[in-house]
Amino acid sequence: MKKRYNTLNDYYREIFGEKIFKVPIDAGFDCPNRDGTVAHGGCTFCTVSGSGDAIVAPDAPIRDQFYKEIDFMHRKWPEVKKYLVYFQNFTNTHDTVDVIRERYEQAINEPGVVGINIGTRPDCLPDETIAYIAELSERMHVTVELGLQTTYDETSKIINRAHTYDLYVKTVKRLRELAPKVEIVSHLINGLPGETYEMMVENVRRCVTDNEIDGIKLHLLHLMTSTKMQRDYHEGRLKLLSMDEYVNIICDQLEIIPKNIVIHRITGDAPRDMLIGPMWSLKKWEVLNAIDKEMERRGSYQGCKVEEEFKS
């Protein structure tokens, strides 16, 4: 059934002509708000693996990780022959450009690799790194997944993000100018401490209005064990969203995202043994189906509120 929003699966089939794998890799980078460059301790929601909890063999050499991941994926989809290398956890441009180049090239030259997805932050993209990313975009499909999480600086301080929204906007503009072929995807998290329903919707409105982006990832906040955010929860500063609340937030957000922007994610995955809550998030397909049903009930679709505003 055709979705009422612009899915990543449909987009990749359109540009690559077939199903592809996103192959997550731990390239051994750290984060500037963990190692003291801008702060210590990392984001309060982040686990010790830096959002790489699902990587099959994170301690293996990069090339070995690549083949272990695709061997694992081929058990379910043996027909897939094209891959996107996904440097996922921590901040994958947080080093010198020589180190970045050396680590990337270990995976992106393997047979079947048609592109690279780079997870990073707006404070870790100096001009020389962007120049290398622009060079890569002449060789393959390149996506920079740029972590934002919130447009509210007061929330950023609470979660120890250690950069401002203004810096984010400026970094997107620099990427656009210096690496025009690179696709930019913004990350936002729904359910951060202190953020209201209205703030979550406004996060998306600002993100798509202030920034020339190609895609967006909307994540549910997963409260995980061994994270600093546990204290916020136990001391009453964090209320976990119900499934109904989350579904309605996502639908309201989709309605204000222009139709040309690709929706890379509208929920998330978390290891069961590390998840404190919300536990309903483990039933991923139930959540996705509930979003589909609510969009259908409303008679709405991605960008419909943008079209109404334009008409008026």
Side-chain angles (χ1 to χ4, degrees):
M1 183 179 71
K2 180 71 174 176
K3 298 282 189 181
R4 290 173 176 259
Y5 54 91
N6 189 7
T7 71
L8 181 62
N9 186 57
D10 286 345
Y11 175 65
Y12 279 163
R13 283 187 179 275
E14 179 184 335
I15 62 174
F16 296 116
E18 59 192 89
K19 183 175 178 61
I20 64 167
F21 285 158
K22 244 173 136 178
V23 185
I25 299 290
D26 185 337
F29 294 102
D30 204 339
C31 284
N33 64 340
R34 283 169 40 99
D35 65 9
T37 304
V38 295
H40 291 279
C43 297
T44 62
F45 57 78
C46 202
T47 65
V48 293
S49 70
S51 301
D53 304 296
I55 293 175
V56 172
D59 297 324
I62 290 173
R63 187 172 180 273
D64 291 351
Q65 285 186 54
F66 175 81
Y67 282 103
K68 286 177 183 292
E69 288 286 346
I70 64 173
D71 285 347
F72 178 77
M73 293 173 179
H74 278 149
R75 296 175 195 173
K76 187 172 182 180
W77 296 286
E79 75 282 3
V80 176
K81 297 294 187 292
K82 291 182 179 179
Y83 315 104
L84 290 174
V85 175
Y86 184 19
F87 290 102
Q88 179 181 15
N89 56 326
F90 296 118
T91 304
N92 293 278
T93 58
H94 183 43
D95 214 313
T96 66
V97 70
D98 290 337
V99 170
I100 294 166
R101 183 189 297 270
E102 188 271 333
R103 293 182 188 178
Y104 287 9
E105 300 287 337
Q106 290 181 52
I108 61 177
N109 294 308
E110 294 303 313
V113 172
V114 293
I116 179 174
N117 284 38
I118 303 164
T120 188
R121 292 164 47 104
D123 52 359
C124 292
L125 284 166
D127 287 355
E128 58 268 26
T129 299
I130 295 178
Y132 170 56
I133 293 171
E135 174 193 321
L136 287 177
S137 71
E138 298 295 334
R139 296 160 51 187
M140 62 184 61
H141 186 270
V142 177
T143 301
V144 170
E145 299 192 0
L146 197 56
L148 173 57
Q149 320 316 349
T150 178
T151 65
Y152 290 91
D153 288 345
E154 57 266 36
T155 307
S156 290
K157 290 176 183 176
I158 291 170
I159 64 175
N160 195 39
R161 190 69 190 162
H163 67 72
T164 64
Y165 178 54
D166 181 63
L167 176 63
Y168 189 90
V169 173
K170 289 177 179 176
T171 301
V172 171
K173 289 179 179 176
R174 285 176 50 246
L175 271 168
R176 275 279 165 256
E177 292 168 1
L178 301 176
K181 289 187 177 180
V182 170
E183 296 197 353
I184 303 172
V185 178
S186 290
H187 286 218
L188 289 169
I189 295 178
N190 288 320
L192 290 172
E195 294 212 339
T196 64
Y197 192 104
E198 291 76 19
M199 290 170 74
M200 292 178 232
V201 175
E202 179 66 8
N203 277 329
V204 167
R205 189 200 65 77
R206 291 178 180 176
C207 191
V208 300
T209 302
D210 299 344
N211 302 281
E212 188 184 342
I213 60 174
D214 302 287
I216 193 165
K217 271 190 171 181
L218 302 172
H219 282 261
L220 168 68
L221 173 69
H222 292 116
L223 181 62
M224 309 285 278
T225 58
S226 303
T227 60
K228 296 182 185 301
M229 194 169 280
Q230 281 180 268
R231 178 177 294 180
D232 293 313
Y233 179 64
H234 293 307
E235 295 180 358
R237 292 185 297 274
L238 173 64
K239 177 182 176 294
L240 299 179
L241 295 171
S242 71
M243 182 168 158
D244 285 345
E245 287 174 322
Y246 187 73
V247 167
N248 279 298
I249 289 165
I250 286 291
C251 291
D252 284 350
Q253 291 173 328
L254 288 172
E255 289 175 352
I256 62 171
I257 298 174
K259 292 172 71 173
N260 63 297
I261 292 178
V262 179
I263 309 301
H264 282 238
R265 187 179 284 269
I266 54 174
T267 181
D269 300 290
R272 181 182 292 271
D273 60 345
M274 298 179 67
L275 183 66
I276 298 172
M279 300 310 292
W280 55 261
S281 67
L282 293 170
K283 300 175 181 178
K284 181 177 178 180
W285 287 106
E286 286 188 19
V287 179
L288 294 173
N289 289 337
I291 292 167
D292 290 341
K293 288 178 182 177
E294 176 60 17
M295 294 292 280
E296 185 176 1
R297 186 195 69 78
R298 296 182 182 195
S300 68
Y301 50 87
Q302 179 182 338
C304 63
K305 293 288 178 67
V306 179
E307 292 178 359
E308 289 174 11
E309 185 178 328
F310 181 75
K311 289 175 183 176
S312 63

